[in-house]
Amino acid sequence: MSLGLRWASVGIALLFVLFLLLFEVLPGLLLARVFWSEGQLSLASWAEATRPLFQRALRNSIELAFYSALQGAVLGTLTAWALWSSANPLVKRFTTGLSAVAANFAGPPLAFAFIVLLGGNGFLNLILKGLGLPTVDIYGKEGLYWVYLYFQWPLMTVLMLPAFGAIQREWLEAARSLGSNQWGFWWRVGIPVLLPSILGSYILLFANAFGAYATVYALTQGQRNLLPLQIGFQVGGDIGYNPVLASTLALMMALVLAVSLVLYRLSRRWAARMEQV
């Protein structure tokens, strides 16, 4: 490599590092104002962040993330198992590719798609009304689970496919030769091997739903009391503008995500040990 190309590569790498530091480190430094008020240490913003309104927002966000991740984890694991069991390579490639696309389809486009199909005058809801069947309310609490399931389910499928690849089909044949049926194999061998990957993927789904903002805001116009929306209100509103409170709420969210990250790392270590057994 010539000297000019070498310096160019170094410059691009430094620019990339600077870009990451700008959006990763600088916001963290700005969180210092959470503990500083009027020239001295203060916990006033923390006292405000513990108001019932924000406590409910935190609880609602954790509940939404917990249950949406749970339903996505169950359905995604079953889908990955079905793809692993399928002998049709075309079905595997098509479903895997579709899952990868759907896992990244979120934000306002996803909200618009659900409004068109299942909104008050959505296409599918009009059909259900015409048939005299109950319609789907995507703007309520239960409706959000359907919206989140759209990207949680395929994401879990994509995450679990490599984990199922660690299951050797020879293990199943050996279990059968020893008198065990298929359910016995999965209960005693398959599930214990997959469990660390399932838990790790579930934690990723939880963090993915806990920090989601654009989808729920575009769908409900901010009418749900969730922590990401409350943070947005504190920095984007003309009346309730309070960046210090927003930083405090963001730090609360970061603490929850940090715990999720630690649990995820522990699950990956567990999965690595299981693969070596």
Side-chain angles (χ1 to χ4, degrees):
M1 180 184 295
S2 65
L3 183 61
L5 290 177
R6 183 176 304 174
W7 280 108
S9 62
V10 171
I12 294 175
L14 290 177
L15 182 61
F16 177 69
V17 171
L18 179 63
F19 179 78
L20 293 181
L21 291 177
L22 180 63
F23 291 95
E24 297 290 342
V25 177
L26 186 58
L29 295 177
L30 294 177
L31 289 177
R33 59 186 177 180
V34 171
F35 306 98
W36 194 263
S37 177
E38 298 180 355
Q40 59 182 357
L41 292 176
S42 174
L43 297 178
S45 62
W46 284 98
E48 188 174 2
T50 56
R51 288 166 46 196
L53 174 65
F54 303 121
Q55 289 182 355
R56 287 194 299 270
L58 177 61
R59 184 171 61 250
N60 292 341
S61 296
I62 292 177
E63 181 181 346
L64 177 60
F66 179 85
Y67 288 110
S68 67
L70 181 61
Q71 63 186 14
V74 172
L75 294 175
T77 301
L78 292 176
T79 304
W81 168 75
L83 293 176
W84 178 84
S85 304
S86 176
N88 191 329
L90 181 60
V91 172
K92 288 184 179 181
R93 289 196 298 268
F94 176 78
T95 307
T96 303
L98 185 61
S99 297
V101 173
N104 293 281
F105 183 57
L110 177 61
F112 174 76
F114 267 88
I115 291 173
V116 170
L117 291 176
L118 294 171
N121 292 311
F123 177 73
L124 295 181
N125 267 344
L126 291 178
I127 294 178
L128 292 175
K129 288 180 182 178
L131 297 176
L133 299 175
T135 59
V136 179
D137 180 17
I138 60 172
Y139 304 109
K141 179 179 178 180
E142 291 75 14
L144 287 179
Y145 288 124
W146 286 103
V147 177
Y148 276 54
L149 180 63
Y150 184 88
F151 55 83
Q152 297 280 59
W153 184 352
L155 178 59
M156 187 67 179
T157 302
V158 172
L159 293 174
M160 286 303 299
L161 281 175
F164 274 93
I167 302 294
Q168 304 296 324
R169 298 185 184 275
E170 291 80 5
W171 299 352
L172 181 57
E173 296 174 0
R176 287 174 176 172
S177 66
L178 294 174
S180 176
N181 56 22
Q182 186 173 5
W183 294 110
F185 164 78
W186 284 108
W187 180 254
R188 294 181 175 86
V189 180
I191 293 179
V193 172
L194 293 173
L195 187 57
S197 297
I198 294 175
L199 293 178
S201 300
Y202 170 82
I203 294 171
L204 285 182
L205 263 64
F206 175 88
N208 185 42
F210 183 73
Y213 172 82
T215 301
V216 65
Y217 181 82
L219 183 68
T220 66
Q221 294 300 307
Q223 298 303 311
R224 302 296 301 178
N225 186 17
L226 298 173
L227 194 58
L229 296 183
Q230 290 293 345
I231 295 173
F233 293 154
Q234 301 305 320
V235 296
D238 296 330
I239 299 177
Y241 180 74
N242 192 339
V244 177
L245 177 58
S247 298
T248 307
L249 297 176
L251 186 56
M252 293 172 56
M253 174 176 286
L255 292 176
V256 175
L257 295 178
V259 173
S260 302
L261 180 60
V262 171
L263 294 176
Y264 173 74
R265 294 297 300 173
L266 293 175
S267 68
R268 294 313 304 163
R269 291 183 181 179
W270 184 16
R273 287 197 298 267
M274 293 296 295
E275 293 174 358
Q276 295 174 359
V277 174

